[in-house]
Amino acid sequence: GELEEETAFMTAMVTYMGLALLVIYGLMAIPFKSYWQPFLILTAVPFGVMGAILGHLILDWQVSMFSILGVIACAGVVVNDNLVLIDRVNSLRNTGASLYDALVLGARDRFRPIILTSLTTFIGLLPIMSETSVQAQFLIPMVTSLAFGVLFATGVTLILVPCLYLLGEQVGDAVKEMFKPSKGELA
């Protein structure tokens, strides 16, 4: 019976997490007026999951129901980090900065807040991860998921997301150029 309950819980959590990410995507698509940028913001979430799994392997913990709750919390922090970065890049582009300059300046401007958020989260959770009391044992998988997921996804936020932003804009420009009518077709 306990295994059935855990399986039902895991299935429900994955379903609701997918639904939550879909709602988050929709809510971000409206102010960004883009379908690409919310997707870009959410690209780091799977890396947070990978970090959570890696943390469980490092600390030799099994993935449990509480681990999934930690992954969900990690997704929120990761989305926030990426949102801060992409918003800064967009504001720089709106002031006339080139794409490359906006990406470099945006990453530089948001480097400290993103790193501080991630490191303080990880360091703040270390005492719980190292706790040996019986009362804290059920929290450790959740804390492990959150701490290692955020730590792992930080690198993705600062390196991969700007690269994907640049790649997406270049592909978008190339597609627009392909479908742009030539001067002979206009006459």
Side-chain angles (χ1 to χ4, degrees):
E2 188 175 316
L3 184 61
E4 280 182 20
E5 284 182 31
E6 188 170 323
T7 303
F9 175 81
M10 293 285 204
T11 304
M13 279 289 114
V14 169
T15 302
Y16 291 136
M17 184 174 175
L19 184 61
L21 289 175
L22 188 64
V23 170
I24 290 168
Y25 175 87
L27 290 173
M28 287 188 297
I30 294 167
F32 280 129
K33 297 180 180 121
S34 167
Y35 295 117
W36 165 247
Q37 289 185 356
F39 176 76
L40 187 63
I41 290 168
L42 294 173
T43 56
V45 172
F47 292 97
V49 174
M50 288 173 36
I53 292 169
L54 188 65
H56 279 75
L57 289 173
I58 290 170
L59 298 179
D60 198 30
W61 281 95
Q62 286 189 341
V63 175
S64 68
M65 294 187 296
F66 288 104
S67 302
I68 302 300
L69 294 174
V71 167
I72 293 169
C74 170
V77 175
V78 169
V79 164
N80 185 49
D81 284 349
N82 284 308
L83 188 60
V84 166
L85 176 63
I86 298 299
D87 183 58
R88 180 64 181 150
V89 170
N90 287 342
S91 68
L92 288 169
R93 289 195 71 199
N94 289 339
T95 61
S98 70
L99 173 61
Y100 183 76
D101 289 342
L103 287 169
V104 170
L105 290 172
R108 187 195 70 191
D109 291 350
R110 295 299 179 241
F111 179 81
R112 187 173 52 175
I114 291 170
I115 288 292
L116 285 175
T117 299
S118 300
L119 287 179
T120 56
T121 300
F122 184 80
I123 292 169
L125 294 173
L126 280 175
I128 298 173
M129 283 191 289
S130 61
E131 182 62 45
T132 57
S133 70
V134 176
Q135 296 88 347
Q137 294 304 301
F138 74 95
L139 286 176
I140 293 175
M142 180 171 53
V143 169
T144 300
S145 292
L146 176 59
F148 281 93
V150 166
L151 196 62
F152 192 75
T154 298
V156 172
T157 296
L158 292 171
I159 297 168
L160 181 66
V161 171
C163 292
L164 288 175
Y165 191 111
L166 179 64
L167 181 66
E169 292 294 320
Q170 289 173 342
V171 168
D173 291 345
V175 169
K176 286 177 190 173
E177 190 64 33
M178 275 184 4
F179 292 107
K180 187 171 137 181
S182 64
K183 292 181 181 180
E185 292 176 8
L186 293 176

